[in-house]
Amino acid sequence: MIGLVVVSHSEQAAQGIAEVAAEMAEEVTIEPVGGNGDSGIGTVPDDIENALTTADDGDGCVVLVDLGSAVMNADVAIEMSDVEAVIADGPVLEGAVNAAIAATGPNATLESVREQAEAARDIDKL
């Protein structure tokens, strides 16, 4: 099954987003990662790489990121990792929910899960 990694500058935000997404698809492995490793705001490539390893069961991972350097550090982590992973270019919370649901499909692939995460950009809230 495709795993998910939620990367946020805030560890608490990453955990909250993963918690919400897991409510929709509890069988999907969703690894939250965030913060600078010293209880501060930021992201760390080594921590993201570890999350990729934890979330992967052999089918790969879709990475959802919040902003700015989270994208850059996720790219670095993917390059350092042996896990096949892609970054979704979509809103992190809505994208994580969409991706989690898509990952439960019997024919889910990295690309199909990423597409569903990115489709969250088009969700109207009002």
Side-chain angles (χ1 to χ4, degrees):
M1 180 176 288
I2 305 297
L4 304 179
V5 174
V6 176
V7 180
S8 173
H9 281 71
S10 164
E11 181 179 6
Q12 292 176 328
Q15 290 173 345
I17 291 164
E19 180 182 8
V20 171
E23 283 292 316
M24 306 305 254
E26 63 186 32
E27 64 270 39
V28 176
T29 300
I30 305 172
E31 274 302 307
V33 60
N36 67 1
D38 196 24
S39 301
I41 298 296
T43 58
V44 178
D46 289 340
D47 293 346
I48 300 168
E49 182 186 14
N50 290 336
L52 287 168
T53 300
T54 302
D56 182 43
D57 71 356
D59 290 334
C61 296
V62 172
V63 181
L64 300 111
V65 296
D66 60 0
L67 51 89
S69 63
V71 177
M72 178 186 67
N73 286 334
D75 267 336
V76 170
I78 290 170
E79 288 179 17
M80 295 185 324
S81 175
D82 292 331
V83 174
E84 185 177 3
V86 294
I87 298 174
D89 184 14
V92 64
L93 175 57
E94 293 89 342
V97 170
N98 274 10
I101 294 167
T104 64
N107 299 318
T109 64
L110 273 179
E111 191 56 36
S112 69
V113 173
R114 177 170 65 178
E115 285 175 4
Q116 287 306 305
E118 292 176 347
R121 286 184 291 209
D122 300 327
I123 296 172
D124 292 327
K125 294 185 180 182
L126 300 178

